[in-house]
C-alpha cells in the first residue's frame, strides 16, 4: 500500500488559538456587515487557520472536529471572490460545493443565502427527494454557487444541464462521509468534468489515509494540509458516560432519562426500523419524539428537523444520517442507544453536541 501523498505544508492549529475579528481579513466591508448581521464576529480555530490560505487562492485539505465552524471557513473566501463582480461578469456557476446529505446541503445554502441577501450572488441547493425541475431551472440559469449532493447532481449531469465551464472553486465537505456512503465514484466523475484550473478546498472531521490518497488526484501538489485540534477524536468539550443494561431495559431507562433532561436530545440507532420503533415507544410514554432516517420523504425529514429545531419535538431519534450535517444549536445530550459500527461514526454522532465552544 503506497504512503499518503506529501503536501507542501502541514499546519497543526491549536484548538485554543485566540479568535480574531473577521474584520481583520481583507474582505469586502459589505460582506463583513453581512457576517456581523448573522452574528459572525470572531473566528474559530479552523477559520483562523484556513481563511488566509483560501483567500490567497491556495488549495486546502482541512481536518477539524465536528462543530468547529468549517462552513464559514470556505463560504467566506468564496463570497469574497464573487462579491464585487459586476452582474455581466458573474454569469455562470463559479463555485460548486459537494456535501454528502440533503440536510447538510440545505444548511450550507441557508448560510450562503443569509450572507448574500443584499448582493447579486445567487445560489441553489441540488439534492434528491424533491422535484428536479426547479433545480434544473437554477442550473440552466447559471446560479453563482451550487451546493449539491453527488447523486442528484449526477442525475442532472446525465441530461447535460449544469455548465461548469466557468467554475473557479470546488469544495468537498465531509469528504470521508461521501466515501463511506459510496459517493466517491460520483465525486470523481463530477470532478473529471470540471476545469482543471480551479481552487479546491476539501474539509472533513477526519482525513483517513484512503481519503488522502484519493485527494492527490483532486488537489494541487502544493495544497495546504491543516489539522485543527486532535486528529480523529471527539471534541474536548464533550463528556462521555456509559450505562450498561439489558436490551429489554433500554427504552424504559431512556424515557426516565429524557424526563429529567432540560434541552434537545439526539438519540442514535443503527437501523431505520429501530429509529421508528424507539420514536413510537417514546411517544407512547409521553415523550415528544420523532424519527429521522433515509426512508422518510424529504418533506418528512424537513418536518422532523425543523420540529426538533423549534422545540415541537424534544427528542430526535435518528440513524447515522444525522451524524453529519445536522447543525442545531443547544443539543444538550447525544444518546447512543445502539453503538455505531466504527470509531469515526461515534466521533460524528457525539459531535452534534458540544458545538461552538459549548459543553456537551
Amino acid at each position: 500500500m503506497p504512503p499518503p501523498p506529501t503536501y507542501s505544508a502541514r499546519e497543526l492549529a491549536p484548538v485554543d488559538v485566540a479568535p480574531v475579528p473577521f474584520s481583520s481579513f481583507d474582505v469586502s466591508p459589505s460582506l463583513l456587515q453581512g457576517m456581523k448581521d448573522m452574528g459572525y464576529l470572531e473566528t474559530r480555530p479552523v477559520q483562523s487557520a484556513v481563511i488566509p490560505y483560501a483567500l490567497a487562492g491556495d488549495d486546502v485539505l482541512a481536518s477539524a472536529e465536528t462543530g468547529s465552524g468549517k462552513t464559514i471557513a470556505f463560504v467566506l473566501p468564496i463570497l469574497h471572490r464573487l462579491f464585487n463582480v459586476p452582474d455581466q461578469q458573474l454569469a455562470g456557476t463559479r463555485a460548486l460545493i459537494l456535501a454528502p446529505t440533503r440536510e447538510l446541503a440545505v444548511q450550507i445554502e441557508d448560510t450562503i443565502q443569509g450572507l448574500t441577501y443584499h448582493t447579486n450572488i445567487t445560489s441553489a441547493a441540488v439534492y434528491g427527494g424533491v422535484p428536479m425541475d426547479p433545480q434544473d431551472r437554477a442550473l440552466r440559469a447559471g446560479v453563482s454557487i451550487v451546493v449539491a449532493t453527488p447523486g442528484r447532481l449526477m442525475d442532472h449531469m446525465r441530461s447535460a444541464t449544469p455548465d461548469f465551464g466557468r467554475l473557479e472553486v470546488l469544495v468537498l465537505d465531509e469528504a470521508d462521509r461521501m466515501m463511506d456512503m459510496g459517493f466517491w465514484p460520483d465525486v470523481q466523475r463530477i470532478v473529471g468534468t470540471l476545469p482543471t484550473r480551479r481552487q479546491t478546498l476539501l474539509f472533513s472531521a477526519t482525513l483517513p489515509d484512503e481519503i488522502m490518497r484519493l485527494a492527490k488526484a483532486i488537489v494541487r501538489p502544493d495544497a495546504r494540509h491543516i489539522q485543527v485540534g486532535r486528529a480523529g477524536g471527539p471534541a474536548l468539550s464533550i463528556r462521555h458516560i456509559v450505562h450498561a443494561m439489558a436490551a429489554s431495559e433500554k427504552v424504559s431507562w431512556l424515557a426516565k432519562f429524557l424526563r429529567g433532561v432540560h434541552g434537545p436530545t439526539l438519540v442514535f440507532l443503527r437501523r431505520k426500523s429501530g429509529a421508528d420503533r424507539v420514536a413510537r415507544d417514546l411517544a407512547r410514554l409521553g415523550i415528544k419524539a420523532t424519527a429521522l432516517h433515509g426512508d422518510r420523504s424529504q418533506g418528512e425529514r424537513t418536518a422532523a428537523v425543523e420540529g426538533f429545531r423549534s422545540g415541537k419535538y424534544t427528542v430526535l431519534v435518528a440513524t447515522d444520517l444525522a451524524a453529519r450535517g445536522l447543525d442545531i444549536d443547544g443539543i444538550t445530550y447525544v444518546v447512543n442507544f445502539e453503538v455505531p459500527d466504527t470509531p469515526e461514526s461515534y466521533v460524528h454522532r457525539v459531535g452534534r453536541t458540544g458545538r461552538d465552544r459549548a459543553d456537551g
Side-chain angles (χ1 to χ4, degrees):
M1 182 178 293
T6 300
Y7 297 93
S8 65
R10 176 185 175 91
E11 295 200 2
L12 302 180
V15 295
D16 59 350
V17 64
V20 300
F22 282 108
S23 58
S24 65
F25 297 114
D26 184 20
V27 298
S28 164
S30 298
L31 179 54
L32 291 174
Q33 184 61 50
M35 297 281 290
K36 182 178 180 181
D37 291 345
M38 291 189 67
Y40 298 117
L41 303 178
E42 295 181 325
T43 62
R44 300 174 65 188
V46 69
Q47 297 160 358
S48 300
V50 169
I51 289 174
Y53 289 129
L55 288 174
D58 292 341
D59 283 11
V60 174
L61 294 166
S63 175
E65 63 195 21
T66 56
S68 58
K70 295 189 292 293
T71 300
I72 290 298
F74 59 79
V75 167
L76 178 61
I78 289 173
L79 295 184
H80 174 64
R81 178 188 288 258
L82 303 180
F83 213 80
N84 293 313
V85 176
D87 287 343
Q88 65 272 19
Q89 298 178 19
L90 196 59
T93 298
R94 313 300 279 273
L96 171 63
I97 302 168
L98 295 178
T101 66
R102 309 171 195 178
E103 287 74 18
L104 181 54
V106 169
Q107 288 182 176
I108 293 170
E109 210 258 337
D110 283 347
T111 299
I112 294 170
Q113 288 278 353
L115 293 176
T116 60
Y117 184 77
H118 296 293
T119 77
N120 58 350
I121 298 173
T122 56
S123 62
V126 175
Y127 53 88
V130 296
M132 291 182 64
D133 287 348
Q135 299 172 359
D136 184 82
R137 288 192 292 270
L139 291 170
R140 290 184 185 279
V143 292
S144 309
I145 304 171
V146 172
V147 187
T149 56
R152 175 49 69 94
L153 184 58
M154 282 298 299
D155 291 340
H156 286 285
M157 293 179 74
R158 290 184 187 100
S159 62
T161 300
D163 180 1
F164 295 129
R166 303 188 68 189
L167 193 86
E168 299 176 22
V169 183
L170 168 67
V171 177
L172 303 179
D173 196 17
E174 302 289 6
D176 54 346
R177 179 61 169 164
M178 285 195 277
M179 185 176 72
D180 293 343
M181 295 174 69
F183 290 148
W184 205 259
D186 283 345
V187 170
Q188 291 174 307
R189 293 185 190 99
I190 293 166
V191 172
T193 70
L194 304 179
T196 55
R197 292 178 59 86
R198 64 169 191 273
Q199 181 182 31
T200 302
L201 309 173
L202 187 150
F203 290 80
S204 187
T206 57
L207 283 174
D209 289 348
E210 181 67 14
I211 287 290
M212 295 297 288
R213 283 190 291 273
L214 293 168
K216 186 176 182 180
I218 295 176
V219 300
R220 296 191 293 255
D222 60 350
R224 304 285 182 169
H225 180 193
I226 296 171
Q227 171 69 55
V228 179
R230 296 185 300 166
L236 297 175
S237 58
I238 301 172
R239 189 162 59 103
H240 309 262
I241 304 170
V242 177
H243 294 276
M245 67 193 71
S248 60
E249 300 172 358
K250 284 186 176 183
V251 171
S252 59
W253 178 91
L254 181 59
K256 181 179 179 181
F257 171 79
L258 292 171
R259 291 189 184 103
V261 169
H262 301 287
T265 300
L266 186 54
V267 179
F268 279 106
L269 287 89
R270 288 195 297 268
R271 297 172 184 83
K272 303 165 188 174
S273 58
D276 281 332
R277 174 179 52 78
V278 171
R280 288 195 301 267
D281 289 345
L282 292 175
R284 280 196 293 266
L285 293 170
I287 307 292
K288 295 188 293 183
T290 189
L292 177 67
H293 55 71
D295 278 353
R296 305 199 74 184
S297 69
Q298 184 59 42
E300 290 171 331
R301 287 164 65 166
T302 300
V305 171
E306 293 306 316
F308 185 54
R309 194 190 305 274
S310 68
K312 177 181 178 180
Y313 304 109
T314 57
V315 181
L316 185 63
V317 186
T319 61
D320 282 325
L321 170 73
R324 312 254 188 148
L326 189 67
D327 190 2
I328 295 176
D329 292 337
I331 293 179
T332 310
Y333 289 95
V334 170
V335 177
N336 286 284
F337 192 90
E338 294 176 338
V339 295
D341 295 326
T342 65
E344 290 80 8
S345 293
Y346 179 83
V347 170
H348 289 294
R349 283 183 178 188
V350 301
R352 300 309 99 196
T353 188
R355 301 171 73 83
D356 197 15
R357 304 189 183 100
D359 294 330

